[in-house]
Amino acid sequence: QKEVEQDPGPLSVPEGAIVSLNCTYSNSAFQYFMWYRQYSRKGPELLMYTYSSGNKEDGRFTAQVDKSSKYISLFIRDSQPSDSATYLCAIWGSGTYKYIFGTGTRLKVLA
Amino acid sequence: NAGVTQTPKFQVLKTGQSMTLQCAQDMNHEYMSWYRQDPGMGLRLIHYSVGAGITDQGEVPNGYNVSRSTTEDFPLRLLSAAPSQTSVYFCASSYSEGSNYGYTFGSGTRLTVV
């Protein structure tokens, strides 16, 4: 079993839709839960991170962590064509120095 | 601040050649790492470093060497290039302090081995 599982998509939605992106993980030792956005032919950029459990909101983006079910989510409200990118989840535990990425979900928001 | 700078951006190598991918950061981050990204396989960790003089292997270290003589620089060496090493390589640096966290990627090096 991979330590982080992520549906590769692609996911196509109309402009204005609510997008839900999800990952599951297997090791409960991780403390940081991140979402990265990667545009074509660019490096990943950190979008949001959550330390431990709970929700975090930043504009149209909400990151959610449920440590009991080992499930992390990213919600995008009022999606825009500029949100079209690959979204990667990642988990990290500073004590282990292990940083694990999901394979990424390709999102396309149609105008 | 420049962030994380990777050079070169593109490189074509012949099988058996060696080369060094350069990575430099100006954020005084202790943690640096190298990834390769291949279609359908996501980002895979090659090597990482938790500070100057300290390196360790990641998920796919074979065929690559690293060193960390300074906080700023973390070069990746391909010892004898193989077509299987054709990939996009990303360097990254990060810090964590309690609940504060930051992670920055370079723009990548596209390597083709023929």
Side-chain angles (χ1 to χ4, degrees):
Chain A
Q1 183 192 5
K2 286 186 180 178
E3 290 194 85
V4 177
E5 301 272 4
Q6 183 175 10
D7 188 334
L11 182 63
S12 290
V13 300
E15 184 176 356
I18 296 174
V19 176
S20 171
L21 303 166
N22 307 292
C23 290
T24 58
Y25 64 96
S26 57
N27 189 333
S28 57
F30 294 102
Q31 304 155 290
Y32 293 89
F33 304 90
M34 287 73 67
W35 285 96
Y36 288 80
R37 178 175 61 197
Q38 185 176 23
Y39 291 113
S40 181
R41 304 183 86 83
K42 300 285 188 186
E45 55 175 329
L46 182 63
L47 195 59
M48 297 183 70
Y49 73 92
T50 308
Y51 178 70
S52 192
S53 208
N55 292 0
K56 190 170 184 178
E57 193 172 314
D58 184 1
R60 296 185 294 111
F61 298 87
T62 299
Q64 211 170 64
V65 176
D66 183 345
K67 290 190 83 174
S68 61
S69 57
K70 300 188 182 68
Y71 200 79
I72 57 177
S73 302
L74 177 71
F75 298 97
I76 307 174
R77 289 183 299 281
D78 187 26
S79 55
Q80 303 295 308
S82 57
D83 296 327
S84 298
T86 297
Y87 290 81
L88 301 105
C89 63
I91 55 177
W92 191 57
S94 59
T96 68
Y97 298 114
K98 263 185 107 173
Y99 201 99
I100 311 293
F101 280 87
T103 52
T105 299
R106 198 150 33 113
L107 171 68
K108 190 163 186 178
V109 180
L110 305 169
Chain B
N1 285 347
V4 177
T5 303
Q6 283 184 244
T7 56
K9 292 194 184 304
F10 302 92
Q11 183 70 50
V12 178
L13 286 179
K14 292 183 179 177
T15 298
Q17 285 185 317
S18 63
M19 80 159 293
T20 299
L21 279 62
Q22 301 292 344
C23 176
Q25 54 99 359
D26 60 0
M27 297 170 286
N28 204 33
H29 288 171
E30 290 297 324
Y31 188 91
M32 294 185 75
S33 49
W34 276 101
Y35 294 87
R36 58 178 290 173
Q37 188 174 37
D38 302 291
M41 305 199 69
L43 285 158
R44 292 184 291 168
L45 182 64
I46 304 171
H47 286 284
Y48 66 94
S49 168
V50 299
I54 307 169
T55 64
D56 206 347
Q57 295 180 353
E59 184 184 354
V60 288
N62 292 340
Y64 308 94
N65 271 0
V66 292
S67 60
R68 185 98 179 268
S69 55
T70 66
T71 300
E72 294 76 22
D73 299 299
F74 191 43
L76 177 73
R77 279 183 289 279
L78 278 71
L79 309 172
S80 176
S84 59
Q85 293 179 304
T86 294
S87 187
V88 182
Y89 291 84
F90 289 102
C91 177
S93 73
S94 68
Y95 77 93
S96 67
E97 281 181 25
S99 61
N100 294 319
Y101 174 83
Y103 204 95
T104 305
F105 279 88
S107 55
T109 295
R110 291 186 173 272
L111 176 69
T112 302
V113 182
V114 298

